[in-house]
Amino acid sequence: MKYENFSAKKLQICVFFCNFAPKMENLYRQLYNWYAQNHRVLPWRETDDPYAIWLSEIILQQTRVAQGLEYYTRFIARWPHVEDLAAADEAEVLREWQGLGYYSRARNLHKAAQMIVEKAWSPFPTRFEDIRALPGVGDYTAGAIASFAYNMPYPAMDGNVYRVVARLLDIDEPFDTSAGKKLFHHKIEAFLDRENPRLFNSAIMEFGALYCTPILGDACLTCPLQSTCLAYAHGTAGLLPVRKPRPKVRDRWFSYHIYTDGEHTLIRRREEKDIWYHLYEFPCQEEQTEDNYPFTHVLSHQKLHARFIVHRAQKMPEIPGTICIRWEELNDFALSRLTLRALDTLRLTPHS
Ligand code: SF4
């Protein structure tokens, strides 16, 4: 064995695990006690229905819990079973999703529901490999569904769990590279409570979401896991977890043209494989100009600058690729959050 590549940090983590093994029960007990007293009561944590858990997990990706709860409640009321969702039109699903952003999640949700019905996996697949094969389901979501619904021993590594693991083990490798993910996955495998994976995953996620948060303040001083936390011992908690450098954000400029005769307006469906695929919008030109654009909208790797120009006309123009609708029908179409914001700000309504 070559010892020269075996860094002091790795050695500390190994020693941690060796010494830690007998204390594992202790860590679980402290974590579960904390969870019992502090966890939020959320409908998808009170059920073992895999369909409901899957729905909540997809909705909650990149969404705050309060906002996600609203959408989850609406989705589950409208499509209570996977067959109902599979039978819906994609446009209806996008319309219900409106405002949540990252619309590929909604399209994948719909495709996955259809796949479940086609493959006769209803009410939901029970094998981890089949869950992982659903469109829009990655390692985290598959682990969350398998453990929360079936109590299967798979980790569910969301951003909160990465943070807690990075701090407990004082890991300063970026967690969002493929090598980092592999390393963290390996570590959590050693951590996972195989007797109670559902409880373990719920507790560690909630602990990261509510207690071991990005900004720590003086939380470490009274932390129930303090005695087993390497980052606390080394004074590095505030520096962890480490991310890879962010890619450069791309700026784009959109000019939207809102035509109105007081009763009607023109909209088009976005068909390009680009942001907001299959959502509706006013006729739009993308321009390479840095003129003054009053609206900005930030997506993960893009910063959009937009302006909305209102054209009042006696007779609606004919613009290829657009449809002419009555203003009150606009509510029936899925629109991006940027367009909704502009409509609100410009106070555009029927008879505008
Ligand atoms: S001691 Fe601090 S860094 Fe460590 S687990 Fe507790 S809150 Fe997180």
Side-chain angles (χ1 to χ4, degrees), residues 92-167:
E92 285 177 81
V93 178
L94 288 173
R95 174 69 187 82
E96 205 63 79
W97 194 269
Q98 182 173 278
L100 262 187
Y102 300 97
Y103 287 85
S104 58
R105 288 183 292 162
R107 284 189 291 273
N108 281 332
L109 192 74
H110 187 233
K111 270 192 228 150
Q114 292 179 328
M115 182 171 166
I116 291 170
V117 172
E118 275 160 26
K119 291 200 177 265
W121 284 340
S122 307
F124 207 79
T126 51
R127 291 183 342 130
F128 181 84
E129 296 69 27
D130 297 338
I131 300 172
R132 180 68 179 78
L134 295 173
V137 171
D139 287 335
Y140 160 73
T141 308
I145 298 167
S147 60
F148 296 153
Y150 306 126
N151 207 24
M152 289 160 114
Y154 288 95
M157 299 285 289
D158 72 350
N160 292 317
V161 178
Y162 278 113
R163 184 169 57 255
V164 175
V165 172
R167 288 172 175 171

Side-chain angles (χ1 to χ4, degrees), residues 164 167-168 207 211-212 216 219-220 223-226 229 231-232 237:
V164 175
R167 288 172 175 171
L168 283 175
F207 185 72
Y211 197 93
C212 188
L216 276 165
C220 295
C223 174
L225 308 187
Q226 188 200 80
C229 180
Y232 178 74

Side-chain angles (χ1 to χ4, degrees), residues 3 7-8 19 57 61 99 102 133 175 182-183 194 218-219 241 255 259 265 315-316 335 343:
Y3 288 95
S7 69
N19 293 337
E57 289 297 339
Q61 288 166 9
Y102 300 97
F175 69 87
K182 221 179 259 176
L183 172 77
R194 287 170 191 283
D218 54 7
S255 292
Y259 293 92
T265 191
K315 185 171 176 293
M316 295 300 285
L335 307 169
L343 285 170

